Amino acid sequence: MTRQVVLVPGLWMPAAAMAFLARALRAYELRVFTYRGRDCHERNIEALARFAGDGACLVGHSLGGVLIYDMLARHPEVRADA
């Protein structure tokens, strides 16, 4: 089974900016979480919790890392793989 990796870009960064990292991780099943930086932080956290599913490895850049951290702190039911 291929491990799933969720990429979360930074603030004002289009998902396409994660393309270099995605190429390096092409052996994995990749999904890119997109969000609007102007949306409420809480709304983005909730959307990421729904998007992440269960058992994905989460990789974030800048604000993407903050979103991952806050989402995991508020949603212990979401399991993140290492």
Side-chain angles (χ1 to χ4, degrees):
M1 181 171 140
T2 303
R3 292 185 64 189
Q4 186 178 99
V5 175
V6 174
L7 302 176
V8 184
L11 181 64
W12 307 115
M13 240 178 122
M18 299 296 274
F20 180 75
L21 183 57
R23 277 193 300 275
L25 297 171
R26 65 182 170 267
Y28 300 94
E29 178 187 336
L30 296 174
R31 295 174 48 209
V32 178
F33 174 71
T34 57
Y35 63 96
R36 290 188 39 178
R38 291 186 179 196
D39 282 349
C40 170
H41 187 68
E42 303 298 324
R43 184 178 301 150
N44 288 328
I45 289 170
E46 296 306 315
L48 178 56
R50 288 188 302 275
F51 186 85
D54 189 32
C57 182
L58 305 166
V59 178
H61 172 264
S62 190
L63 182 60
V66 173
L67 281 171
I68 291 168
Y69 180 81
D70 288 347
M71 184 273 296
L72 291 173
R74 294 183 184 146
H75 291 277
E77 74 278 6
V78 175
R79 186 174 57 90
D81 286 345

